[in-house]
Amino acid sequence: NAGVTQTPKFRVLKTGQSMTLLCAQDMNHEYMYWYRQDPGMGLRLIHYSVGEGTTAKGEVPDGYNVSRLKKQNFLLGLESAAPSQTSVYFCASSYSKTSNQETQYFGPGTRLLVL
Amino acid sequence: RKEVEQDPGPFNVPEGATVAFNCTYSNSASQSFFWYRQDCRKEPKLLMSVYSSGNEDGRFTAQLNRASQYISLLIRDSKLSDSATYLCVVNTLYNFNKFYFGSGTKLNVKP
């Protein structure tokens, strides 16, 4: 049981480049989330998903897109990276229908530097 | 106004000290409350849930005051390993399963 995993762990991009961050969970959770964390700002929700095939915008969605084609995976895409997107990105998942568990579990994070 | 507010600290305490953090939340419809711990450059991890009647887990005690809309975390007999950032988290189930995070309170336990 790996919990929540994220790839890559670290990436450097040039302005305008694109990339996809992958999040995977093996806990059969219904909900998945992408956050970014910046110094002094706390965790801010980018996008979230309440189930396979559904996504919704969070607090800071601009410049990002997401997809959840499979229940266990949640992808975060940056189409044209900007320096303002330099941050640490955390994926999280929560809620299993069988356990009715509401606790949120986090992946180890992806550090992204946009030059 | 932020959904969840915390004193950023840092709280610098000696080993063995007792330290308390408070956190306020703005949405009276909030239903679930948690304390997470985050070590430097690591992901947040659940420390404990906070129940209406208050709850204790070893050296850690969490309290909820719905009337005043705040939650607290008390750490007794602080250890060096308690040094971390403590995040207050509030959940509002009416808006699917959305979590609101405080910016965190940094604790430094000194020898």
Side-chain angles (χ1 to χ4, degrees):
Chain A
N1 189 334
V4 182
T5 58
Q6 292 182 233
T7 53
K9 287 185 170 54
F10 179 71
R11 184 77 183 268
V12 179
L13 289 179
K14 294 181 180 178
T15 296
Q17 286 185 315
S18 63
M19 77 164 294
T20 300
L21 284 66
L22 172 63
C23 174
Q25 53 94 6
D26 61 3
M27 296 174 282
N28 200 33
H29 281 167
E30 302 299 320
Y31 305 144
M32 296 187 75
Y33 316 73
W34 275 107
Y35 295 91
R36 60 177 290 174
Q37 188 175 37
D38 303 292
M41 298 289 289
L43 284 154
R44 292 185 292 169
L45 183 63
I46 304 172
H47 285 279
Y48 62 94
S49 168
V50 299
E52 182 178 320
T54 68
T55 64
K57 294 180 180 180
E59 184 185 349
V60 288
D62 293 342
Y64 305 94
N65 56 74
V66 288
S67 64
R68 192 162 178 208
L69 300 178
K70 294 182 179 180
K71 186 177 182 179
Q72 63 268 33
N73 296 336
F74 195 28
L75 279 62
L76 178 71
L78 285 74
E79 290 186 348
S80 179
S84 61
Q85 293 178 303
T86 293
S87 188
V88 180
Y89 292 86
F90 288 105
C91 175
S93 70
S94 74
Y95 187 62
S96 163
K97 288 180 179 176
T98 53
S99 68
N100 200 31
Q101 187 184 56
E102 59 186 9
T103 308
Q104 202 172 48
Y105 294 87
F106 284 84
T110 295
R111 282 170 174 72
L112 177 64
L113 174 61
V114 183
L115 300 175
Chain B
R1 183 182 174 188
K2 289 183 180 179
E3 293 277 348
V4 180
E5 301 212 48
Q6 294 181 251
D7 180 345
F11 285 61
N12 298 307
V13 303
E15 268 186 295
T18 295
V19 61
F21 310 136
N22 284 336
C23 156
T24 59
Y25 61 94
S26 61
N27 190 338
S28 60
S30 299
Q31 295 177 268
S32 301
F33 309 88
F34 310 88
W35 283 102
Y36 276 71
R37 171 193 168 126
Q38 186 173 25
D39 293 293
C40 186
R41 302 176 71 82
K42 298 284 190 181
E43 74 272 25
K45 293 185 178 178
L46 179 68
L47 177 66
M48 58 196 304
S49 301
V50 186
Y51 303 121
S52 296
S53 56
N55 49 299
E56 187 174 306
D57 183 1
R59 297 181 293 109
F60 299 85
T61 300
Q63 297 279 355
L64 168 64
N65 185 318
R66 284 191 183 272
S68 301
Q69 295 184 201
Y70 78 83
I71 67 174
S72 64
L73 177 68
L74 181 77
I75 305 175
R76 291 181 298 277
D77 188 22
S78 298
K79 310 291 184 191
L80 294 176
S81 57
D82 293 335
S83 296
T85 296
Y86 291 84
L87 305 176
C88 173
V89 184
V90 172
N91 177 294
T92 52
L93 290 173
Y94 75 88
N95 189 6
F96 94 101
N97 196 19
K98 193 169 182 180
F99 294 80
Y100 295 91
F101 289 79
S103 298
T105 298
K106 187 166 176 58
L107 172 65
N108 295 317
V109 181
K110 309 288 189 181

